[in-house]
Amino acid sequence: MNKILIVDFGSQYTQLIARKVRELGVYSEIVPFSTSLADIKRRAPRALILSGGPQSVYAQGAPLPAPALFDLGLPVLGICYGQQIAAHLLGGKVTPHARREYGFAALKVRDRSGLLAGVRDLRQVWMSHGDRLDKIPPGFRITGATANTKAAVIENADRRVYGVQFHPEVVHTREGRRILGNFLFRLAGLAPDWSLGSFVDRKVAEIRAQVGRGRVLCGLSGGVDSAVAALLIHQAIGRRLTCVFVDNGLLRQGQYGELMDRFRRTLSLNVVGVDAAAEFVRALRGVTAPERKRKIIGRLFVEIFDREARRLGGAKFLAQGTIYPDVIESRPVRGPSQTIKSHHNVGGLPKGLAFDLVEPLRELFKDEVRALALELGLDREFVSQHPFPGPGLAVRIVGEVNGESLAIVRAADAIVLEETHRAGVHRKLWQAFAVLLPVKSVGVMGDCRTYQRAVAVRMVTSVDGMTAAWFPASAALLAGIASRIVNEVRGVNRVVYDITSKPPGTIEWE
């Protein structure tokens, strides 16, 4: 199977590059810029892509690879900062520029024999840079330019090193997919031999090799990720998988009973139900910091799994539905990217964990997991459900989690979902939910003064959860949601709508 490595220099788009390459049928892995040349050779990639990044190549401590990276004989594509790295290390000159370039630009094509084959003139590209390439390295030629960037595309066919100052991986670059495809297939000579079908075969074999004759406990959250992980493991080891579905008291209205029925009847999984609602709420008493909530929930989940493992006869392995965005947002395991927030199934596990982890979806994006779910036979209604956070409603209560707050946010959340379904927009949304805020406001209800809680409504669209746009909901939909929440949810007298995209915000409030 063909494989390329994406060398991460801290770009917010590094993971998007990986996803776009996989969409084109080539398997990709992300490695930090500090990866040794020996390790790169050991991984045996067929090509390299250097990501963008926020630094200047001349800045103190700027992430730079070993210059010998370009002597490995591999095709290399540098994107934005990655292009500047290639130019800087191969004899070009990169300089700061007074006029930074962020946003749309029109690409003037000078040569279509290589990277820009089939790309139409003056097509829109997305720029995000301050420095620019003023002198190209020896042996390179400029094949594309914009009004503000003379060397927008550079190529050296002899060395098989290519660079673009813009971001072909983002949707704003109109022919970015074609440019990436030209690099992979036309210039690097790869074949599109990776698919989710091949992923299933490879992953099932890996699970069998890892687990051997052992037993696996799989924590089901009720979402698509953990269900797909369970189905993959079930395919690999059959009845030696026991799924544990914990009612942590932080689920949506009616969710526990509905999901237990689905897991057992529809998916034919061996599922043990655990009622731990009071235990979780008690552990969260007095806790307001989001990170502490996540870590407490993660720790308690593992304690319960440990307890169930002993009760069920012991299991050496714990399976989780961890996906790639969870890993990226929780800690900078790949490159110089910053931690955004820890996910309970990544950063919340205690050091004394008694299990070996099985995480078959750890390298997949959300849209890939959904496509895999359909391939494994899950019904479309279940697959298209909105993501629900592992810590559940605990991270949709800003402040302390208690019985009263849970009742409020659970009822408000049910109204949001009902109204988005009724309005016919639910499937257009990545997520829609309610958040209980730690503030009270004055209101008037039935000619009486009230001083009650406020609820924020959140609706966003997204492809993979890495970025998201707030949804321009109609006034009628928002009015209907607000009216129902204020009238039906005891303790709430104000509803607000969150119009923050990601970035700068995250999708969840905590």
Side-chain angles (χ1 to χ4, degrees):
M1 180 178 67
N2 291 313
K3 175 173 67 178
I4 76 165
L5 295 183
I6 298 163
V7 185
D8 180 18
F9 292 92
S11 171
Q12 61 178 313
Y13 300 132
T14 299
Q15 297 78 38
L16 189 55
I17 300 171
R19 193 170 63 81
K20 291 297 182 182
V21 169
R22 292 183 196 178
E23 285 179 2
L24 288 163
V26 177
Y27 181 68
S28 61
E29 294 178 356
I30 297 173
V31 297
F33 76 93
S34 56
T35 302
S36 68
L37 295 181
D39 193 17
I40 289 175
K41 290 178 182 178
R42 181 186 62 78
R43 293 170 181 266
R46 295 283 305 279
L48 303 173
I49 293 180
L50 312 183
S51 83
Q55 301 276 13
S56 167
V57 294
Y58 298 111
Q60 185 175 2
L64 293 172
L69 181 79
F70 299 97
D71 297 326
L72 296 176
L74 297 171
V76 178
L77 172 64
I79 294 176
C80 195
Y81 179 76
Q83 183 208 49
Q84 294 171 9
I85 287 172
H88 174 63
L89 295 179
L90 295 175
K93 185 178 182 181
V94 179
T95 60
H97 198 259
R99 183 172 182 180
R100 298 188 176 189
E101 192 173 19
Y102 296 104
F104 299 118
L107 181 67
K108 177 67 177 176
V109 179
R110 294 187 176 180
D111 189 308
R112 292 184 173 83
S113 63
L115 195 60
L116 300 181
V119 175
R120 286 175 285 176
D121 208 18
L122 298 177
R123 294 295 281 170
Q124 174 182 293
V125 296
W126 181 259
M127 293 286 193
S128 179
H129 65 101
D131 294 355
R132 74 177 186 181
L133 179 57
D134 278 343
K135 177 186 174 184
I136 64 173
F140 283 77
R141 59 197 179 91
I142 296 173
T143 59
T146 69
N148 294 320
T149 303
K150 179 181 178 182
V153 184
I154 60 173
E155 305 186 36
N156 185 327
D158 293 333
R159 295 198 68 155
R160 295 200 295 173
V161 178
Y162 310 87
V164 294
Q165 184 59 71
F166 53 86
H167 290 272
E169 70 274 22
V170 303
V171 69
H172 308 297
T173 296
R174 290 290 172 79
E175 297 198 67
R177 183 182 176 91
R178 182 187 296 274
I179 293 169
L180 288 173
N182 283 341
F183 172 70
L184 296 171
F185 309 126
R186 185 184 184 91
L187 303 176
L190 305 183
D193 59 0
W194 186 83
S195 66
L196 287 174
S198 64
F199 171 83
V200 171
D201 294 338
R202 178 170 60 86
K203 193 55 64 174
V204 166
E206 288 178 6
I207 293 167
R208 287 173 178 161
Q210 179 185 2
V211 173
R213 298 303 302 167
R215 300 184 62 83
V216 179
L217 278 181
C218 180
L220 293 175
S221 69
V224 175
D225 303 338
S226 59
V228 172
L231 288 175
L232 273 175
I233 297 167
H234 185 262
Q235 190 168 321
I237 65 171
R239 297 295 292 179
R240 285 185 289 121
L241 167 69
T242 300
C243 297
V244 177
F245 185 31
V246 178
D247 182 2
N248 58 9
L250 308 174
L251 299 173
R252 288 189 179 117
Q253 193 166 281
Q255 191 176 15
Y256 181 73
E258 293 170 6
L259 288 172
M260 280 296 289
D261 186 67
R262 178 183 292 274
F263 291 144
R264 287 171 171 167
R265 293 177 182 271
T266 307
L267 303 181
S268 300
L269 293 172
N270 177 26
V271 184
V272 174
V274 180
D275 182 0
E279 199 170 347
F280 276 86
V281 174
R282 187 164 54 248
L284 292 167
R285 184 177 299 152
V287 178
T288 59
E291 287 296 286
R292 279 200 64 206
K293 288 182 188 178
R294 290 175 177 274
K295 292 184 182 297
I296 287 169
I297 291 167
R299 173 185 55 76
L300 192 49
F301 264 119
V302 173
E303 288 177 3
I304 291 170
F305 289 138
D306 190 29
R307 191 167 67 211
E308 286 301 308
R310 291 195 299 271
R311 189 182 68 81
L312 295 168
K316 181 180 178 182
F317 299 93
L318 169 64
Q320 296 187 147
T322 308
I323 64 173
Y324 201 31
D326 297 343
V327 177
I328 296 303
E329 290 191 336
S330 292
R331 59 180 185 259
V333 295
R334 300 287 185 185
S337 306
Q338 293 195 3
T339 300
I340 297 172
K341 60 184 178 182
S342 54
H343 290 256
H344 81 283
N345 55 348
V346 180
L349 302 182
K351 293 180 181 178
L353 180 65
F355 301 100
D356 292 333
L357 287 178
V358 181
E359 297 176 305
L361 309 181
R362 191 179 178 86
E363 298 297 322
L364 294 188
F365 291 93
K366 189 70 177 189
D367 55 327
E368 293 176 312
V369 175
R370 284 176 167 168
L372 180 58
L374 294 173
E375 197 162 309
L376 291 174
L378 282 166
D379 63 274
R380 189 168 295 276
E381 181 182 355
F382 181 72
V383 172
S384 62
Q385 67 174 306
H386 292 176
F388 188 64
L393 297 179
V395 292
R396 292 180 180 173
I397 297 171
V398 181
E400 182 184 1
V401 176
N402 54 46
E404 179 187 6
S405 294
L406 282 168
I408 292 173
V409 76
R410 187 175 285 118
D413 180 76
I415 290 171
V416 171
L417 296 182
E418 289 169 10
E419 291 300 313
T420 53
H421 275 294
R422 183 176 290 115
V425 302
H426 191 80
R427 291 198 174 184
K428 298 178 182 179
L429 302 172
W430 176 263
Q431 279 178 266
F433 55 90
V435 179
L436 183 61
L437 305 182
V439 296
K440 290 185 177 182
S441 66
V442 174
V444 178
M445 301 175 73
D447 294 327
C448 295
R449 178 187 185 275
T450 61
Y451 190 59
Q452 296 180 335
R453 305 287 291 273
V455 164
V457 174
R458 181 84 157 132
M459 293 184 239
V460 298
T461 57
S462 179
V463 173
D464 54 18
M466 297 301 295
T467 61
W470 66 274
F471 179 67
S474 69
L477 173 56
L478 294 176
I481 291 173
S483 177
R484 284 196 59 193
I485 289 176
V486 169
N487 282 285
E488 298 176 26
V489 181
R490 189 175 297 276
V492 176
N493 68 355
R494 190 174 299 272
V495 176
V496 298
Y497 189 49
D498 181 353
I499 59 169
T500 311
S501 294
K502 176 186 179 180
T506 54
I507 295 176
E508 300 287 348
W509 277 49
E510 293 193 344

